[in-house]
C-alpha cells in the first residue's frame, strides 16, 4: 500500500546542512497498524510530512498504492492528501471558528464532491464518543476530546492511510488507551495506521514497532 | 448547520466574524480610505462644476463698473455679498458704439434691508429686458414667459417658493421662478426688470432708505455688460473702453474666471495629493495588517493544508477576506462621506469662497461606483503579499513555528 525507498531529507545549506532523515526504507500494508518511536528531533514529523506530500525529500521515492507520488503538482498532491491520506498533526489541530461538526466536514468540502457529509460526520463523532459536542465550538473541549475530533476529521474521507503525529502527546493514561484502541479499530476496518510517538510515551503498540534514531529507521 | 459547503468565501466570512476586533480595525481603515477617495472626488467635481457654471452664467466678456468697485463686483459674483454702486447711464451709449461690441447692456443694483424678505440682505439686480443677454438666457431655462412688471426671479439659495410673494421695502412682488443653482454669489440674488427695480427704488426712497444720493435708475447704472464680437480681440476693446471712458474699471470675465480657476486648481491639487498620499498609506497599512494577521494565523492555514487545501485555496481565503473587508469598508466610507459632503456642501462652498455646485446625480452615482470598485480592489491588492506568503510557505515550517 505504501512503499518508501531510500528516503532522505536534508535541511539547511553549507555548514548548517544536516540530514534529518536518511536511508529510510518502510513498507505499510493495508490494514496494518505501525508505530514509530523516537525522541524529539529524531525526524518523525519530517517523515510524516514527506509521506503526506507537505514536504519534498532530498532523495528517495514514495509509492502510494503502486504510484510514485513525489512528482505530483500541488493540486494533485493536495487531492491525494484530501482523499486518501488522513493526517492528525502534532499538537492542537482544530479550527476554532467552526463547530466540531463543521471541522469534521471540512475535508469533505475542500474538493467538489457529491453527497451530504453530515451523516458520515455524525457517525464518526459517535464512534469517537463526541456526538453530543457536534454543534459545540472546539474551544470548549478538553485536550483528549480535541485529539479525537482531529482523528475523526482525518477519517472523514475514508482514507487508505492515517498518519498520526504524537497523537497521545499531552494525554493522560485513560485518554491514551482510548485513542490506541480507536487506532486498532480503524486498522481492523482496513485503514492503515502509521503513528509516531515520543519515546517517553514508550508505546510499543501496533502490528509493527520501529525506532527512529537520528533520522534512521531501525526495526 | 445548513446544507452548504464551506467555500473559501464562506470560510472567509467565518474568519472575519471570529476575529471581530481585527476585522473591525481593518474595516475602519478601508472605510477611511473610501471616504477620502469619494469625498475628495466629489469636492473636486463640485469645484469644477461651479467653474463651468460660472463661465456659462456670466455671459458677458467684459464688465464695466465704477473705478473703485471691482472688488465689490467680484464679491457679488463669487461670494454673494450684496453691494451697490453707480455711474452715469450715458456711458452705456458711448460703449455701445465702440468697434468690436456685439452686445451691450446695463444692470442696476440695489440691496434689500437686513433680513427683510430673506435670511439675510440680498442683492437686487435689475436688467433691461430689451438689451439684456446675460440674465434672460438662463431665466428662460426655468421661466419661458417674458418677466412681467412687478415680478421677480430668485436665485436658488433664496428660501422662497415659486408663486409666493417676496416682500421688499413694505411692498410685495410675485416670485415668477427660481433659478438653477450656479454655486456663485448669483444664487443669493433677486432679479427683476429695470422698471420693477425702479419701483423698488421708489418704495425704498419713500421709506427713507437712501442708497446713493443721485442714483436714480433713469440716469444711473451699476455695471455695463459687453459681449465682444466673434474674432475681435477682447484686450483691444478693453483698451478702447479705457480710452473712451474715464473713472471706470474694466473687468474681463476671463481674467476673473482664470483667477478663480487658479485658486481652484490649488484646492483640487491639494485634494488629489491628499487622497493619493492617503491611498498609498492605507494600502501599505492594510498590506501590513494582512501580513501580520496571516502570520498570526499560520497554524490555521497549516491545518487546512494537511486536510488537502491547495495553495490556491489558501490564497483564495485571504483574498476573499480582504475583498469583503474592503467592500464593507468601501460602502460605509461612501455613506459617511456622503453624509458629510452633501448636507454641508453649502457651508463648504461658502468657506472655500469659490463657485461650488454639486455635480449631476449620474456623476455622483458614477463616482460612488468607481470609488467602490477602487476600494474593493485595494483590499485584495494589499493582501497579495500575505496571500503569496501563506500559500508558498512550507506547511511543515508553519507547523513547527505554530507549535
Ligand atoms: N525546516 C527545518 N530547517 C532545519 N532543520 C529542521 C527543519 N525542520 C526540522 N529540522 C530538524 O530536523 C530534525 C528532525 O525534526 P523533526 O522531524 O521535527 O523531529 P521530531 O518530529 O522527531 O521531533 C531536527 O533536528 C530538526 O531540528
Ligand atoms: Mg515532531
Amino acid at each position: 500500500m505504501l512503499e518508501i525507498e531510500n528516503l532522505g531529507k536534508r535541511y539547511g545549506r553549507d555548514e548548517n546542512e544536516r540530514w534529518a532523515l536518511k536511508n529510510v526504507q518502510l513498507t505499510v500494508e493495508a490494514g496494518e497498524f505501525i508505530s514509530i518511536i523516537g525522541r524529539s528531533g529524531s525526524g518523525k514529523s519530517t517523515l510524516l510530512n514527506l509521506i503526506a506530500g507537505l514536504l519534498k525529500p532530498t532523495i528517495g521515492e514514495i509509492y502510494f498504492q503502486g504510484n510514485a507520488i513525489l512528482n505530483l503538482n500541488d493540486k494533485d498532491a493536495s487531492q491525494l492528501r484530501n482523499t486518501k491520506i488522513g493526517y492528525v498533526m502534532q499538537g492542537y489541530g482544530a479550527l476554532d471558528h467552526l463547530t466540531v461538526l463543521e471541522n469534521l466536514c471540512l475535508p469533505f468540502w475542500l474538493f467538489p464532491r457529491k453527497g451530504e457529509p453530515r451523516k458520515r460526520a455524525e457517525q464518526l463523532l459517535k464512534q469517537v464518543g463526541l456526538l453530543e459536542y457536534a454543534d459545540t465550538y472546539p474551544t470548549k473541549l478538553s485536550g483528549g476530546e480535541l485529539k479525537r475530533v482531529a482523528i475523526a476529521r482525518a477519517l472523514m474521507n475514508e482514507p487508505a492511510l492515517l498518519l498520526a503525529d504524537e497523537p497521545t502527546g499531552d494525554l493522560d493514561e485513560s485518554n491514551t488507551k482510548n485513542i490506541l484502541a480507536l487506532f486498532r479499530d480503524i486498522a481492523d476496518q482496513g485503514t492503515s495506521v502509521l503513528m509516531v510517538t515520543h519515546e517517553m510515551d514508550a508505546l510499543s503498540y501496533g502490528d509493527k514497532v520501529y525506532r527512529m534514531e537520528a533520522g534512521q529507521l531501525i526495526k | 448547520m445548513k446544507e452548504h459547503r464551506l467555500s473559501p468565501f464562506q470560510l472567509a466570512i467565518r474568519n472575519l466574524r471570529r476575529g471581530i476586533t481585527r476585522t473591525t480595525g481593518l474595516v475602519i481603515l478601508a472605510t477611511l480610505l473610501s471616504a477620502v477617495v469619494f469625498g475628495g472626488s466629489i469636492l473636486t467635481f463640485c469645484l469644477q462644476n461651479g467653474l463651468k457654471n460660472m463661465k456659462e452664467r456670466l455671459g458677458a466678456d467684459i464688465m464695466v463698473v465704477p473705478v473703485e468697485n471691482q472688488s465689490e463686483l467680484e464679491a457679488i459674483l463669487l461670494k454673494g455679498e450684496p453691494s451697490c454702486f453707480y455711474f452715469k447711464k450715458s456711458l452705456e451709449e458711448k460703449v455701445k458704439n465702440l468697434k468690436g461690441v456685439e452686445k451691450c447692456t446695463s444692470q442696476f443694483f440695489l440691496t434689500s434691508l437686513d433680513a427683510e424678505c430673506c435670511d439675510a440682505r440680498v442683492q437686487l439686480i435689475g436688467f433691461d429686458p430689451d438689451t439684456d443677454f446675460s440674465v434672460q438666457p438662463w431665466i428662460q431655462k426655468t421661466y419661458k414667459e417674458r418677466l412681467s412688471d412687478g415680478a421677480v426671479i430668485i436665485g436658488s439659495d433664496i428660501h422662497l417658493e415659486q408663486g409666493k410673494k417676496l416682500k421688499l421695502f413694505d411692498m410685495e412682488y410675485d416670485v415668477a421662478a427660481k433659478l438653477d443653482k450656479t454655486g456663485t454669489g448669483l444664487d443669493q440674488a433677486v432679479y427683476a426688470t429695470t422698471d420693477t427695480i425702479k419701483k423698488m427704488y421708489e418704495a425704498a426712497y419713500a421709506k427713507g432708505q437712501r442708497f446713493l444720493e443721485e442714483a436714480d435708475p433713469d440716469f444711473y447704472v451699476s455695471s455695463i455688460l459687453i459681449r465682444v464680437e466673434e474674432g475681435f480681440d477682447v484686450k483691444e476693446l478693453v483698451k478702447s473702453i479705457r480710452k473712451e471712458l474715464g473713472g471706470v474699471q474694466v473687468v474681463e470675465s476671463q481674467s476673473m474666471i482664470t483667477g478663480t480657476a487658479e485658486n481652484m486648481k490649488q484646492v483640487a491639487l491639494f485634494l488629489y495629493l491628499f487622497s493619493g498620499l492617503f491611498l498609498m498609506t492605507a494600502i501599505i497599512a492594510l498590506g501590513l495588517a494582512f501580513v501580520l494577521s496571516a502570520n498570526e494565523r499560520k497554524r490555521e492555514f497549516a491545518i487546512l493544508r494537511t486536510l488537502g487545501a491547495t495553495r490556491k485555496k489558501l490564497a483564495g481565503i485571504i483574498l476573499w477576506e480582504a475583498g469583503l473587508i474592503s467592500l464593507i469598508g468601501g460602502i460605509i466610507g461612501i455613506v459617511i462621506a456622503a453624509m458629510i459632503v452633501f448636507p454641508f456642501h453649502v457651508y463648504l462652498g461658502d468657506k472655500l469662497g469659490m463657485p461650488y455646485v454639486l455635480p449631476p446625480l449620474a456623476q455622483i452615482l458614477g463616482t460612488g461606483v468607481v470609488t467602490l470598485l477602487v476600494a474593493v480592489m485595494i483590499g485584495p491588492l494589499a493582501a497579495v503579499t500575505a496571500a503569496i506568503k501563506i500559500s508558498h510557505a512550507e506547511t511543515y515550517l508553519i507547523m513547527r513555528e505554530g507549535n
Side-chain angles (χ1 to χ4, degrees), chain B residues 57 125 127 134-143 147 152-158 160 162 175-184 186-192:
Chain B
R57 291 293 163 97
I125 298 177
F127 60 91
S134 162
V135 184
Q136 286 180 126
W138 37 279
I139 286 184
Q140 258 145 33
K141 282 191 191 164
T142 46
Y143 188 69
L147 196 56
V152 296
I153 301 266
I154 57 177
S156 71
D157 286 353
I158 296 200
L160 260 185
Q162 184 182 333
V175 175
K178 193 170 196 169
L179 294 168
D180 289 343
K181 191 160 177 61
T182 66
T184 66
L186 297 175
D187 291 335
Q188 293 151 55
V190 170
Y191 303 87

Side-chain angles (χ1 to χ4, degrees), chain A residues 22 55 68 73 86 125 202:
Chain A
K22 238 176 167 175
L55 207 60
N73 63 24
L125 280 178

Side-chain angles (χ1 to χ4, degrees), chain B residues 144-299:
Chain B
K144 295 275 181 258
E145 292 142 63
R146 201 183 157 93
L147 196 56
S148 62
D149 252 10
V152 296
I153 301 266
I154 57 177
S156 71
D157 286 353
I158 296 200
H159 300 293
L160 260 185
E161 292 311 307
Q162 184 182 333
K164 291 269 163 54
K165 304 254 184 208
L166 179 78
K167 197 168 164 229
L168 281 171
F169 314 115
D170 289 341
M171 304 262 281
E172 287 190 333
Y173 302 88
D174 291 328
V175 175
K178 193 170 196 169
L179 294 168
D180 289 343
K181 191 160 177 61
T182 66
T184 66
L186 297 175
D187 291 335
Q188 293 151 55
V190 170
Y191 303 87
T193 60
T194 7
D195 288 343
T196 310
I197 288 281
K198 201 171 151 188
K199 283 190 191 129
M200 290 179 187
Y201 178 82
E202 278 156 10
Y205 201 85
K207 265 198 83 180
Q209 167 84 1
R210 297 289 182 275
F211 295 96
L212 265 176
E213 212 47 54
E214 72 280 52
D216 183 332
D218 282 333
F219 305 107
Y220 286 86
V221 295
S222 301
S223 71
I224 301 171
L225 284 73
I226 298 152
R227 175 167 297 166
V228 182
E229 263 173 29
E230 183 94 40
F232 194 88
D233 186 9
V234 180
K235 297 258 185 285
E236 198 63 31
L237 184 58
V238 169
K239 257 189 223 157
S240 54
I241 297 172
R242 288 219 172 97
K243 215 156 74 188
E244 197 65 25
L245 316 179
V248 296
Q249 184 68 41
V250 186
V251 184
E252 264 180 84
S253 312
Q254 189 53 47
S255 66
M256 201 164 73
I257 289 170
T258 316
T260 316
E262 280 305 317
N263 284 339
M264 201 169 282
K265 260 189 207 142
Q266 277 165 6
V267 174
L269 187 71
F270 171 77
L271 284 173
Y272 282 137
L273 272 179
F274 182 72
S275 308
L277 270 178
F278 193 85
L279 208 77
M280 269 165 44
T281 321
I283 291 177
I284 293 170
L286 273 175
L288 276 176
F290 284 128
V291 169
L292 285 179
S293 85
N295 276 339
E296 215 172 79
R297 292 163 54 193
K298 272 182 173 174
R299 186 158 187 87

Side-chain angles (χ1 to χ4, degrees), chain A residues 11-12 18 20 39-46 90, chain B residues 396-397 400:
Chain A
Y11 287 116
R18 52 168 306 198
R39 62 177 59 149
S40 27
S42 58
K44 305 182 299 291
S45 296
T46 302
Q90 200 170 348
Chain B
Y396 180 51
L397 296 186
R400 287 177 61 85

